[in-house]
Amino acid sequence: QVQLVESGGGLVQAGGSLRLSCAASGSTFSSYVMGWFRQAPGKEREFVAHISWGLGSTYYADSVKGRFTISRDNAKNTVYLQMNSLKPEDTAVYYCAATNRWGTIATISQQYHYNYWGQGTQVTVSS
């Protein structure tokens, strides 16, 4: 079965950088889309970015565009989220997700569209 394991979270000062990793296993992922979501205390889970395994096409939430970069290494079945210029409002638990369902830019940005999830990794940005 599909398993997703996140790593790379931690504590960083505002303006700093972190790189999150998501190791995927249990399937052939060539037709999958991988996404990053985050959830802060008291807030709903929100979309951050997604990438297609096959073509590497990407899409970002407006709040992170220009600061975050999603990428993948198909040989390693690993997806990354490079986070630069971090702000305190980026503090959240970050989740890796996967879907093999058809979708659009709009639908693939929605939490319900993903059928596999990792356990999450905490990112804390101090001011």
Side-chain angles (χ1 to χ4, degrees), residues 37-57:
F37 291 77
R38 65 187 183 184
Q39 187 167 26
K43 294 185 177 181
E44 296 183 358
R45 190 170 299 184
E46 66 173 335
F47 167 78
V48 175
H50 73 241
I51 187 169
S52 65
W53 282 104
L55 297 177
S57 55

Side-chain angles (χ1 to χ4, degrees), residues 82-116:
Q82 178 67 46
M83 305 185 294
N84 299 325
S85 301
L86 283 163
K87 305 174 181 179
E89 50 263 46
D90 295 318
T91 295
V93 176
Y94 282 71
Y95 296 91
C96 178
T99 181
N100 58 357
R101 300 165 180 166
W102 292 102
T104 65
I105 292 295
T107 59
I108 300 178
S109 299
Q110 301 299 313
Q111 177 181 354
Y112 72 84
H113 209 264
Y114 292 79
N115 45 358
Y116 304 105

Side-chain angles (χ1 to χ4, degrees), residues 8-126:
L11 174 65
V12 66
Q13 293 184 345
S17 299
L18 284 173
R19 189 179 76 160
L20 306 182
S21 298
C22 175
S25 62
S27 185
T28 300
F29 294 95
S30 59
S31 63
Y32 278 65
V33 170
M34 304 293 293
W36 285 99
F37 291 77
R38 65 187 183 184
Q39 187 167 26
K43 294 185 177 181
E44 296 183 358
R45 190 170 299 184
E46 66 173 335
F47 167 78
V48 175
H50 73 241
I51 187 169
S52 65
W53 282 104
L55 297 177
S57 55
T58 61
Y59 188 75
Y60 299 90
D62 288 341
S63 60
V64 306
K65 190 174 297 184
R67 300 188 298 121
F68 291 11
T69 302
I70 188 170
S71 62
R72 92 290 196 217
D73 185 332
N74 286 6
K76 297 180 179 180
N77 281 165
T78 300
V79 176
Y80 305 95
L81 185 68
Q82 178 67 46
M83 305 185 294
N84 299 325
S85 301
L86 283 163
K87 305 174 181 179
E89 50 263 46
D90 295 318
T91 295
V93 176
Y94 282 71
Y95 296 91
C96 178
T99 181
N100 58 357
R101 300 165 180 166
W102 292 102
T104 65
I105 292 295
T107 59
I108 300 178
S109 299
Q110 301 299 313
Q111 177 181 354
Y112 72 84
H113 209 264
Y114 292 79
N115 45 358
Y116 304 105
W117 292 85
Q119 298 301 306
T121 185
Q122 177 70 47
V123 172
T124 302
V125 184
S126 65

